[in-house]
Amino acid sequence: MSATTVRPRDPKVSVVIPARNEARNLEIILPKLPPVHEVILVDGNSVDDTVATAQRLLPDVRIVHQTRKGKGNALACGFEAVTGDVVVMFDADCSADPDEIPRFVQALVDGADVAKGTRYSHGGGSDDITLLRNVGNRGLNILCNVILGTRYSDLCYGYNAFWADVLPKIGLLSSALPRPADGSMLWGDGFEIETVLTCRWSAAELAITEVGSHEKLRVHGTSNLNAVTDGIRVLKSIMHERRRAADNRAGRLASLSGAAALGGAAAVSAVSTVPAAPTSPDVAPVAAAPVPALEGDAA
């Protein structure tokens, strides 16, 4: 956050809900949402009444159509449409408790840049997670903390909130990028999005507060999550984000070194343009020509 950024004590909250064929679940969950600045429903080419149901239940709902496929792309499309101060990531399958939204927002108002939901702390839990997913999540979580030097307790949980002004630091893929011709997903467009976000929040050195959250059972339909294939994708994401963070650090160091070298050269140039003292009282000093400021130098 910029030192000049002033965050409101009563922020406007934008709830972003990715949904694909979730009409029956929306019937249950949308009426339970607390009053917020806006609800943005990102439709993933649903073939049921997902959009019509949302518009009937919430006449002011904003509908965004995702441009590629995958939860990551859906969230990126929704984030680009946000006009509020705070972004809340909210699943449409009834697994997220809308009564917890004020707790996430309060953590941000209290000073956090990111409020990271966790099922493994006080007030958290899950009615849905299987033994296999639980073991996999904990293993990936430990691996992430060791590799990236983080201290997360629930890497893969998708119920999170953050200040909208941190979005430029996350660097998600633009919704305008074309879909791959072979039908595959771009990196970051899939279920690995939660891992990508948590890694980039840490790489950006944001203040992160974990908020205990209880995951409920999906009411209707079946999850698109595959514990094995998506677990492998998450593992690849951790390694990818480690390389990305290292490359970014190297780039910043190179930029700082280059700026320092240019600054030193400018100082030498400035000294060389100062004329020698006059050798005769009849010779007036000549004003040195001003040295032009280098791009990026402070005025």
Side-chain angles (χ1 to χ4, degrees):
M1 181 181 66
S2 169
T4 60
T5 301
V6 178
R7 288 170 171 170
R9 299 294 300 174
D10 184 20
K12 295 183 292 184
V13 177
S14 300
V15 178
V16 176
I17 308 176
R20 183 173 182 269
N21 299 327
E22 297 283 10
R24 290 192 297 169
N25 285 321
L26 293 178
E27 289 273 8
I28 299 170
I29 203 66
L30 288 185
K32 296 181 180 180
L33 289 175
V36 293
H37 168 65
E38 63 186 355
V39 175
I40 300 173
L41 185 123
V42 187
D43 180 54
N45 300 310
S46 298
V47 295
D48 66 355
D49 293 330
T50 289
V51 172
T53 299
Q55 291 174 327
R56 172 171 53 83
L57 295 170
L58 293 178
D60 294 334
V61 68
R62 297 181 58 200
I63 304 297
V64 173
H65 297 279
Q66 72 176 100
T67 55
R68 296 186 295 275
K69 66 178 182 179
K71 184 178 182 180
N73 172 245
L75 286 172
C77 291
F79 295 164
E80 290 176 5
V82 162
T83 64
D85 305 304
V86 163
V87 182
V88 176
M89 300 162 53
F90 194 86
D91 286 341
D93 60 5
C94 298
S95 63
D97 185 351
D99 290 339
E100 294 177 355
I101 290 178
R103 290 166 50 192
F104 282 86
V105 175
Q106 188 60 50
L108 298 176
V109 172
D110 288 344
D113 296 314
V114 177
K116 176 80 179 75
T118 175
R119 294 162 290 187
Y120 299 108
S121 72
H122 179 70
S126 177
D127 300 328
D128 181 59
I129 196 166
T130 63
L131 177 61
L132 176 61
R133 284 178 54 205
N134 186 47
V135 171
N137 281 349
R138 287 183 179 274
L140 289 169
N141 199 81
I142 292 171
L143 186 64
C144 177
N145 287 339
V146 170
I147 291 176
L148 301 179
T150 53
R151 292 186 296 176
Y152 292 119
S153 65
D154 199 355
L155 173 71
C156 300
Y157 193 42
Y159 197 177
N160 308 297
F162 55 90
W163 289 100
D165 60 40
V166 309
L167 276 169
K169 297 183 178 181
I170 300 173
L172 295 183
L173 293 178
S174 168
S175 65
L177 291 174
R179 181 184 301 181
D182 61 2
S184 62
M185 285 190 292
L186 296 175
W187 198 254
D189 275 359
F191 277 109
E192 73 276 5
I193 184 62
E194 282 92 5
T195 306
V196 170
L197 286 171
T198 50
C199 290
R200 294 187 184 180
W201 288 330
S202 292
E205 300 181 348
L206 301 179
I208 303 167
T209 296
E210 289 196 326
V211 176
S213 176
H214 193 98
E215 179 185 36
K216 298 183 178 181
L217 288 170
R218 165 184 278 274
V219 177
H220 296 292
T222 57
S223 173
N224 294 315
L225 180 69
N226 183 294
V228 176
T229 58
D230 287 307
I232 293 173
R233 198 170 177 89
V234 167
L235 179 58
K236 290 181 178 178
S237 297
I238 295 172
M239 304 308 297
H240 172 82
E241 291 303 312
R242 181 191 185 190
R243 290 193 299 270
R244 181 180 184 274
D247 290 344
N248 285 345
R249 284 195 298 270
R252 287 196 297 269
L253 288 174
S255 178
L256 289 173
S257 297
L262 287 174
V268 171
S269 175
V271 170
S272 67
T273 59
V274 177
T279 58
S280 167
D282 296 329
V283 179
V286 177
V291 180
L294 294 174
E295 183 178 358
D297 285 355

